[in-house]
Amino acid sequence: MGIAVQMYTIRDFTRTREGLVDSMEKMGAIGYRAVQLSAVGAMDGPDASVTAAEARALLDAAGIRCIATHRDWDSLANETAREIDFHRVMGCNYVAIGGLPGRFNADGADGCRRFVGESAPVIARLKEAGIRFGYHNHAHEFVRIGPGRRTLHDIFVEEGGADLMLELDVYWADHAGVNPIRLFERALGRVPVVHLKDREVIAEGPVMAPIGEGNLDWEEIIPTGRAAGVEWFCVEQDVCRRDPFDCLRASYEFLVAAGA
């Protein structure tokens, strides 16, 4: 397994070429050698100034690999060839979306099933190009449906098929009252990339925190993830209550010490 940075964590620092270069240097100095590209304004914001080829050169110069991305679903579905070319330039074989597109989201279980059906040919085309596709969960995918304890997330697990990867975010699963360890056990071989952040309790209530500074059960999560076939533990802290790079350093040092 490797340790990567989900660059959404430092989105406020990568809006310009200079910020992107500086961020790569800081991540490399911490020890990170891999990233998931997401919310990098210098590449795909309204003032984008860095092409995929230039970004690849900057990553190479910093000794960092792009091991995953988050991309827009409509682009993946309607401009699949262009997205495949982008990932080939980046040397990346994994793409995920950050949640269910809005037009599916409003219809509960029916919307999830429609997405599973409509995504299948896109996933197949990406697979032909050597690119895996994953779905990233938040908490709302664990809304109960029908009788028993079934949730929307069960649709992805049970009906998505082996080629639909599950980009498990352990924080959001825990936030929803679901044990992430059980999710790993149900998705063997389908979780190549997972998102990690901790859940700390302060006076005001639970907050996101660097890994090891909260209450998630890392002594069980890390080995269970390894057994489930996780290739990359990707550190993603959506909200940081101190300098994000300091948070990334704390998470990295904890994961290394824990044998991740």
Side-chain angles (χ1 to χ4, degrees):
M1 294 186 299
I3 305 171
V5 174
Q6 217 295 27
M7 291 186 68
Y8 184 78
T9 307
I10 52 172
R11 59 197 177 278
D12 292 337
F13 299 85
T14 60
R15 294 171 177 166
T16 65
R17 176 189 294 269
E18 293 75 17
L20 181 58
V21 171
D22 182 62
S23 295
M24 289 178 182
E25 290 175 352
K26 288 179 177 178
M27 289 186 293
I30 292 170
Y32 288 101
R33 295 293 177 263
V35 296
Q36 179 171 28
L37 288 179
S38 176
V40 179
M43 294 181 64
D44 45 31
D47 300 315
S49 58
V50 178
T51 66
E54 290 169 334
R56 173 66 186 273
L58 294 174
L59 285 167
D60 288 347
I64 294 174
R65 294 172 53 194
C66 174
I67 54 88
T69 66
H70 267 188
R71 303 291 285 176
D72 176 73
W73 171 249
D74 287 339
S75 294
L76 288 167
N78 301 322
E79 301 178 78
T80 313
R82 185 169 69 87
E83 288 291 335
I84 289 171
D85 287 343
F86 173 86
H87 286 81
R88 284 175 172 162
V89 170
M90 297 309 305
C92 178
N93 68 358
Y94 181 88
V95 59
I97 58 172
L100 202 62
R103 65 181 178 278
F104 301 102
N105 224 346
D107 297 328
D110 289 341
C112 288
R113 289 193 172 95
R114 280 197 298 112
F115 175 77
V116 167
E118 292 182 24
S119 67
V122 179
I123 294 172
R125 190 172 174 192
L126 291 169
K127 182 180 179 180
E128 288 176 1
I131 300 169
R132 294 172 291 182
F133 173 83
Y135 180 87
H136 174 276
N137 67 275
H138 289 86
H140 63 267
E141 287 88 357
F142 298 99
V143 168
R144 294 275 192 94
I145 55 172
R149 298 178 59 86
R150 296 192 74 247
T151 69
L152 294 174
H153 195 262
D154 289 324
I155 294 173
F156 296 108
V157 175
E158 298 167 3
E159 302 176 31
D163 291 334
L164 174 59
M165 302 295 112
L166 302 167
E167 190 175 71
L168 176 61
D169 188 307
V170 299
Y171 172 95
W172 286 116
D174 181 81
H175 183 73
V178 176
N179 187 341
I181 293 168
R182 301 286 85 80
L183 297 178
F184 277 129
E185 292 171 347
R186 294 185 63 205
L188 301 180
R190 293 175 64 188
V191 285
V193 178
V194 298
H195 285 189
L196 306 184
K197 48 185 164 278
D198 216 332
R199 194 162 186 243
E200 181 183 5
V201 178
I202 61 174
E204 294 78 11
V207 295
M208 296 178 180
I211 301 162
E213 296 185 13
N215 295 325
L216 288 179
D217 188 359
W218 299 108
E219 291 184 357
E220 291 294 330
I221 290 172
I222 291 171
T224 305
R226 182 183 293 114
V230 173
E231 299 166 17
W232 292 97
F233 280 141
C234 200
V235 178
E236 179 193 44
Q237 192 172 334
D238 313 33
V239 179
C240 299
R241 295 185 300 122
R242 62 180 190 265
D243 178 69
F245 292 99
D246 185 53
C247 291
L248 289 175
R249 179 183 297 280
S251 291
Y252 180 82
E253 291 176 352
F254 178 87
L255 288 170
V256 170

